[in-house]
Amino acid sequence: MPDSENLVDNFSYEREIKDENNNVIGVVKTDVTREVEVEEDGTKVIILEKDIIEDYNEGEDEERKKVDEFKITASGEYYLNGEKLSEEFLNQTYTGSENTLKASYNGVSGGYLAEYDEISKDYYKLESYKTANFFLDRGSAKTYTSTYVGEENHAADIAIFVSKADGVENARDQVSLLTSALAAELGIAVLTVSTVIGAIAAGGAAAITASELVDASNDGLEDLEDAYNIIKNI
């Protein structure tokens, strides 16, 4: 197999970490090594090795590593970390900007898909979906739960939930920005998940944007499920 069919390149990107008041409290820095191999049958294997550092203005930094393997067969099948991706998943599209719900009391409120409203002093309504599509569209959200809790007995639960809900909201903002950026880079009007994976495989500036988009989606979905489980366990 010709050496030109295999390549390794590196890139990096950053995004801000914000709190519930939209203040920047740190930066997530991601260094990526992208390895592409074309097998004899034409299957393209793309491995992304990521070194991720959450650099907070105050407190300890957090470091982790993540490896994702994408595979695109010659017949057009897509795999992620060994799991075949369905046509339904690959054809998911971004529906556009959506507003979050508004609080009924002039207190603390926020979130997106996972949301919190201070409905009276120190008393909150927490609500969350369990999951959504790749683009974190509200219309795709499934399995809803909610509860009412006071800070007197559940201050820690509320604080963690708020952090997760804000994480989902920030992720959705990133998904929106990166989806628009990637569509512009590719010169297309409608972006699907298969297009995102294809951009990672193709390389160039679009691969960087697409990789960052995958990270934002994954982070948002993880925070969303965590928020949902917090309510279920109260």
Side-chain angles (χ1 to χ4, degrees):
M1 179 166 41
D3 290 338
S4 61
E5 293 184 339
N6 301 291
L7 64 87
V8 176
D9 57 13
N10 300 277
F11 53 85
S12 61
Y13 43 81
E14 297 182 358
R15 68 171 174 83
E16 295 176 336
I17 305 172
K18 298 181 179 180
D19 64 12
E20 66 272 16
N21 297 314
N22 211 35
N23 297 315
V24 177
I25 59 173
V27 177
V28 179
K29 304 175 182 179
T30 304
D31 294 320
V32 184
T33 298
R34 186 182 72 112
E35 182 176 353
V36 182
E37 177 182 349
V38 181
E39 299 178 342
E40 291 183 359
D41 65 354
T43 296
K44 181 175 286 189
V45 180
I46 310 98
I47 298 174
L48 299 181
E49 297 183 1
K50 301 179 180 182
D51 292 316
I52 305 166
I53 299 176
E54 295 183 11
D55 184 6
Y56 291 95
N57 299 339
E58 298 180 2
E60 295 289 330
D61 294 348
E62 298 180 11
E63 299 184 25
R64 65 184 188 276
K65 295 182 180 292
K66 185 175 183 181
V67 179
D68 285 322
E69 181 188 85
F70 298 92
K71 184 179 292 187
I72 306 173
T73 69
S75 61
E77 295 179 332
Y78 289 71
Y79 293 81
L80 173 58
N81 298 328
E83 180 181 349
K84 184 179 179 180
L85 302 177
S86 68
E87 288 296 318
E88 180 182 8
F89 177 78
L90 291 168
N91 291 328
Q92 290 177 1
T93 58
Y94 173 69
T95 61
S97 59
E98 300 168 272
N99 294 326
T100 58
L101 299 179
K102 302 299 182 182
S104 55
Y105 166 79
N106 189 22
V108 177
S109 65
Y112 170 83
L113 296 181
E115 303 180 23
Y116 52 93
D117 290 335
E118 188 181 16
I119 57 177
S120 62
K121 185 170 177 56
D122 299 331
Y123 195 74
Y124 290 79
K125 179 182 181 182
L126 309 181
E127 54 187 328
S128 180
Y129 289 93
K130 185 176 183 179
T131 190
N133 69 358
F134 175 86
F135 296 99
L136 301 175
D137 290 320
R138 183 180 295 280
S140 72
K142 299 177 181 178
T143 313
Y144 171 87
T145 190
S146 66
T147 191
Y148 294 86
V149 291
E151 284 192 336
E152 183 176 355
N153 296 318
H154 293 283
D157 292 325
I158 293 171
I160 297 171
F161 183 91
V162 167
S163 174
K164 296 298 182 180
D166 290 335
V168 178
E169 186 174 20
N170 291 336
R172 169 65 181 193
D173 289 343
Q174 285 294 306
V175 165
S176 298
L177 291 170
L178 293 165
T179 297
S180 297
L182 183 57
E185 289 169 353
L186 297 175
I188 59 177
V190 179
L191 198 71
T192 65
V193 176
S194 61
T195 309
V196 175
I197 298 173
I200 293 173
I208 301 174
T209 306
S211 176
E212 193 171 1
L213 176 54
V214 169
D215 286 352
S217 173
N218 288 340
D219 289 346
L221 289 170
E222 288 174 8
D223 281 343
L224 182 60
E225 186 170 7
D226 287 346
Y228 175 88
N229 287 329
I230 288 170
I231 294 176
K232 296 297 288 186
N233 291 324
I234 287 178

